[in-house]
Amino acid sequence: MYNIFKIAARNLLRYKRRTLLTSILITLGVVAVLLFVSVSGSFKSLMVGQITDSMLGHLQVHRKGYIASIDSLPLNRNLQGKQVAKVKEVLDASPEVEAYSMRIKLGAMFSNYNETTNIRINAVNPKQEQQASPMLTGRILQGEKEGLLDKGEILVPELIAKGMKVKVGDTIVLVATNKDGLVNGQPFVVRGILESISGPGGRDGYIHLSDAKTLLRIDKPEVSEIAIRLKEMDTLPDVLANLKEALGGILNKQGKPVFEVHSWEKLSPFSKIAAMIDLMTLFIKIMLVAIVLVSIMNVMIMSVYERIHEIGTIAAIGTSPSKILALFLTEGLLLGILGTLIGLVISLLAIAGMNVSSISFDFGRQKDLLLAPVISTTDVLLVVGIVIAVAVIGSLQPAWKASRMNPITALRHV
Amino acid sequence: MTIVAARQLTKEYVAGDITVPAIRGVDFSIEAGSFVSFVGPSGSGKSTLLNMIGCLDPPTSGSLEVVGKDVAGLRSSESARFRGEHIGFIFQDFNLIPVLTVFENIEYPLIMVQNWPVRKRRQQVERLLEAVGMQDQANKYPGQISGGQKQRVAVARALVTNAKLVLADEPTANLDRDTANRIISLMKTMRDEFDTTFIFSTHDPKVVKNAEIVFALEDGLLQTESNGQGGSHV
């Protein structure tokens, strides 16, 4: 085998320029794919991380029908005491669940005593919310971050704060209508200004759960949604299936399911962007395959054509067709390995360079998001594996042709 | 011992509706250790006959035994194996592998065809290098040596597997007269040293005189001019 590699390597060196050009082509393909995968992957994970870690959580449990009418934040579709207890029981028994947060979501009028506007409010238990949405605290642009908020305080989204000209420490009034149609108002001190982010809930204000109960005159334990954070995101499909199995079978008096469970992907439009990124990555990989296939096939066909006489010689002196096949396949393999290794080194250096350069970008209303491209070992191995496999596949037809060549015909070739 | 025996050996090539007879039912036998030449003008069938003896081209009809084996019906993979085990080839254009050194070219059949162990392989290649007087050029590439030296290397490569039969198709055609004579002398010496049968084709009458047995071919038919022992016209 060593000798086959030696002869193949020397044959590649024999046509230095052609080998170099083919390797460059493969290298460019590998670099393009690895950079795209790393940059798009980091963008995707950054956005997904923001969405799940600062508002949505990985999963959410609602009362059946809540998501369908979420635009009106219907209080009459809140989960009630026993239902909440049941969900808690299931979640507490799930080892994959890191934390969960009970929320009451409501629409209210926000008044600074001069002007009034609409606001969507998440009423939360601060401790639970910080565990379920660990990046929420980081979104506080102004004001005290420690403890998130206390009773009587509100975190105001930056757009409303700017529009209504409210600052940290100001007093505002929230006016809300409860599910019985009763209107109630309550003053709050602005605890902090909250950065807006893309996605649902990215421009919501936050108040304490007990304040929401007072404002809405709720005297029983009830919540609109339960946001769940998992220890490992990879377990999401399994946990989702388990939750659906555990809660899906619970029916109300009309025989209809009580709960609905959704992953973040179903709740955020960003999942569509993420899916598009995945699709683009797939197309880029297909392009890489095409580049490698065409360039390797081209160079190997040329190589076989130029060495017909030589193939005739080695066949005449008794080299078996399988060894001739192996010789040419090895040439393709070595070309693939060469181009891939160079591409891999360049890509890793470029990724490291981008990380050192701290490149930032804007997405929607979010400014200066830090691009931190990373590439997983799995992705690297996948790309390397694909390129090398395609290089061998691309050599197959020319190598097969060489191995099946009639020695007489080959020896007569000029 | 007979090393090549042909009976009513025929080779025809078919091109569309036309059948061209290249060898027309020839009979001959060659004894082991002979130094034989097939002579004749271009198109007489010398190369075709050598190709059939070398199991590169199957006969259309007739029987052909080489090294005691009926080779007329061998499949291509069997032919390749048979050639690798029993036959050495010397080509008009030397046909050395340009990316391998002189040493590696001679070593090639022992690695890619017969799979000899390293130490035995090295000893054999060194023996052949010495026999053809190319020890000093062992590390040079074919592009760095002369035509005569290339053909010496080709002779060594043909003999390195201890082949019982060496076939040389116009081995001196690309060499000057002196070098051609030296190569023929070398082949003769190798025949004596390694007890190998040499069969070569040529159309050069001055080279022919070195052969011990000469088979003259014309239009695919065989005539004999024996100027030594070991060959016969059947």
Side-chain angles (χ1 to χ4, degrees):
Chain A
M1 201 62 200
Y2 163 76
N3 289 293
I4 288 180
F5 271 89
K6 183 175 78 180
I7 295 170
R10 289 200 190 164
N11 275 320
L12 290 178
L13 290 174
R14 181 183 188 177
Y15 303 107
K16 288 190 185 74
R17 189 182 299 173
R18 186 195 301 165
T19 302
L20 187 70
L21 287 172
T22 311
S23 302
I24 287 172
L25 209 56
I26 297 171
T27 298
L28 287 175
V30 169
V31 169
V33 170
L34 289 179
L35 289 188
F36 184 82
V37 168
S38 65
V39 171
S40 66
S42 76
F43 169 72
K44 199 176 105 177
S45 55
L46 177 75
M47 296 311 296
V48 171
Q50 277 211 341
I51 288 163
T52 57
D53 294 355
S54 66
M55 35 181 201
L56 284 184
H58 296 135
L59 291 159
Q60 287 188 0
V61 180
H62 301 93
R63 189 165 159 188
K64 187 77 181 171
Y66 185 86
I67 291 296
S69 52
I70 196 164
D71 283 346
S72 61
L73 301 174
L75 294 168
N76 59 353
R77 288 194 180 274
N78 282 353
L79 292 165
Q80 303 303 312
K82 281 184 184 174
Q83 296 160 348
V84 174
K86 178 63 190 171
V87 177
K88 282 181 71 172
E89 181 190 323
V90 172
L91 294 179
D92 289 340
S94 300
E96 298 91 350
V97 172
E98 183 173 314
Y100 53 87
S101 176
M102 309 280 181
R103 297 170 179 164
I104 294 177
K105 297 175 82 79
L106 63 140
M109 299 299 290
F110 179 102
S111 169
N112 63 359
Y113 297 102
N114 289 323
E115 295 174 273
T116 302
T117 188
N118 297 322
I119 187 169
R120 291 164 62 97
I121 295 288
N122 283 323
V124 298
N125 175 323
K127 201 173 173 184
Q128 278 185 356
E129 188 65 23
Q130 280 180 308
Q131 288 172 339
S133 307
M135 284 174 69
L136 177 61
T137 311
R139 286 174 54 204
I140 299 173
L141 298 172
Q142 297 167 34
E144 176 60 45
K145 294 184 179 182
E146 184 69 30
L148 195 63
L149 51 75
D150 289 322
K151 290 176 186 172
E153 293 178 335
I154 181 170
L155 292 172
V156 181
E158 62 175 324
L159 284 180
I160 291 181
K162 204 176 277 179
M164 299 294 284
K165 298 180 186 68
V166 296
K167 303 185 295 294
V168 174
D170 288 353
T171 300
I172 58 97
V173 172
L174 289 182
V175 179
T177 307
N178 73 2
K179 64 182 172 188
D180 299 323
L182 299 172
V183 179
N184 194 22
Q186 190 172 326
F188 288 86
V189 174
V190 176
R191 160 77 176 248
I193 308 298
L194 207 55
E195 179 193 27
S196 298
I197 60 168
S198 305
R203 291 168 208 173
D204 290 359
Y206 282 80
I207 61 172
H208 200 283
L209 193 62
S210 58
D211 286 335
K213 287 182 175 174
T214 311
L215 181 65
L216 299 170
R217 298 175 185 175
I218 296 171
D219 49 4
K220 292 174 186 169
E222 66 176 73
V223 296
S224 309
E225 74 182 17
I226 301 168
I228 302 159
R229 179 175 174 76
L230 302 176
K231 287 174 185 160
E232 299 289 338
M233 190 132 170
D234 296 344
T235 62
L236 193 146
D238 292 338
V239 178
L240 179 64
N242 291 343
L243 280 180
K244 281 185 171 174
E245 192 184 332
L247 300 174
I250 299 170
L251 306 176
N252 61 19
K253 287 174 187 170
Q254 288 78 42
K256 292 185 178 170
V258 174
F259 300 101
E260 57 186 13
V261 187
H262 296 285
S263 66
W264 73 269
E265 290 146 316
K266 294 284 177 194
L267 300 165
S268 168
F270 185 78
S271 63
K272 301 283 186 293
I273 297 174
M276 275 182 61
I277 290 171
D278 290 342
L279 195 65
M280 283 168 67
T281 308
L282 178 69
F283 278 119
I284 296 266
K285 282 178 183 166
I286 290 170
M287 281 168 62
L288 172 71
V289 167
I291 288 170
V292 175
L293 197 67
V294 169
S295 55
I296 293 271
M297 266 192 93
N298 181 46
V299 79
M300 292 310 295
I301 285 170
M302 286 298 295
S303 185
V304 168
Y305 181 76
E306 286 172 356
R307 280 153 56 194
I308 290 177
H309 201 69
E310 194 178 311
I311 293 164
T313 305
I314 61 174
I317 63 179
T319 311
S320 65
S322 61
K323 283 199 173 149
I324 297 175
L325 181 83
L327 260 175
F328 283 91
L329 285 184
T330 308
E331 280 185 37
L333 173 75
L334 290 179
L335 256 180
I337 290 174
L338 181 68
T340 307
L341 284 183
I342 299 171
L344 185 59
V345 170
I346 293 174
S347 302
L348 294 179
L349 289 175
I351 290 168
M354 280 193 274
N355 280 308
V356 170
S357 314
S358 301
I359 299 168
S360 60
F361 66 100
D362 298 340
F363 183 73
R365 289 193 51 78
Q366 291 168 264
K367 306 287 180 193
D368 296 329
L369 294 169
L370 191 64
L371 188 68
V374 283
I375 187 97
S376 69
T377 311
T378 314
D379 277 329
V380 168
L381 291 178
L382 190 71
V383 170
V384 168
I386 287 173
V387 172
I388 291 174
V390 170
V392 174
I393 291 167
S395 315
L396 203 55
Q397 192 273 341
W400 178 261
K401 194 178 169 188
S403 72
R404 301 289 131 183
M405 225 170 250
N406 182 320
I408 298 280
T409 316
L411 282 168
R412 281 189 195 133
H413 184 84
V414 182
Chain B
M1 180 197 163
T2 303
I3 199 157
V4 181
R7 299 280 176 273
Q8 286 301 301
L9 191 64
T10 302
K11 183 67 188 181
E12 292 171 347
Y13 292 106
V14 178
D17 297 335
I18 303 165
T19 301
V20 180
I23 298 292
R24 306 170 190 237
V26 299
D27 296 329
F28 66 90
S29 65
I30 295 168
E31 295 299 306
S34 306
F35 198 71
V36 180
S37 174
F38 283 94
V39 297
S42 291
S44 60
K46 305 185 299 289
S47 296
T48 305
L49 202 53
L50 246 59
N51 287 340
M52 286 195 284
I53 296 170
C55 306
L56 292 168
D57 210 4
T60 308
S61 64
S63 76
L64 178 62
E65 270 190 25
V66 178
V67 200
K69 189 176 177 74
D70 180 2
V71 297
L74 289 181
R75 287 180 301 175
S76 65
S77 57
E78 290 170 337
S79 298
R81 201 175 309 123
F82 185 81
R83 288 195 301 272
E85 283 172 10
H86 301 293
I87 305 173
F89 287 88
I90 300 169
F91 303 95
Q92 178 180 331
D93 298 324
F94 325 122
N95 291 20
L96 300 180
I97 300 168
V99 294
L100 301 181
T101 62
V102 163
F103 186 99
E104 289 165 340
N105 261 288
I106 300 171
E107 192 185 26
Y108 179 91
L110 303 180
I111 297 169
M112 298 295 281
V113 181
Q114 291 202 350
N115 201 19
W116 285 33
V118 179
R119 183 174 291 185
K120 197 177 161 198
R121 202 164 75 205
R122 288 194 171 280
Q123 284 172 352
Q124 177 77 341
V125 175
E126 277 161 12
R127 181 180 163 218
L128 263 300
L129 274 170
E130 192 183 341
V132 299
M134 288 293 289
Q135 309 99 301
D136 297 343
Q137 316 291 328
N139 294 320
K140 288 189 175 171
Y141 286 89
Q144 297 170 314
I145 58 176
S146 68
Q149 288 175 320
K150 285 179 190 169
Q151 203 59 305
R152 281 170 177 273
V153 176
V155 170
R157 183 178 66 183
L159 290 165
V160 77
T161 57
N162 298 325
K164 292 182 179 63
L165 176 64
V166 171
L167 301 173
D169 190 7
E170 305 268 7
T172 58
N174 285 340
L175 301 173
D176 61 66
R177 178 59 39 79
D178 288 344
T179 311
N181 284 330
R182 278 202 293 274
I183 289 295
I184 294 294
S185 297
L186 173 71
M187 284 162 59
K188 239 177 186 173
T189 309
M190 294 297 105
R191 187 276 309 265
D192 296 338
E193 192 173 327
F194 292 90
D195 196 27
T196 304
T197 308
F198 273 79
I199 302 174
F200 62 98
S201 69
T202 183
H203 58 263
D204 184 344
K206 290 180 182 166
V207 174
V208 175
K209 70 177 194 293
N210 289 294
E212 291 167 357
I213 302 159
V214 179
F215 289 106
L217 273 167
E218 197 167 329
D219 289 335
L221 290 170
L222 192 64
Q223 300 167 347
T224 299
E225 272 180 47
S226 179
N227 61 354
Q229 76 286 359
S232 62
H233 176 208
V234 183

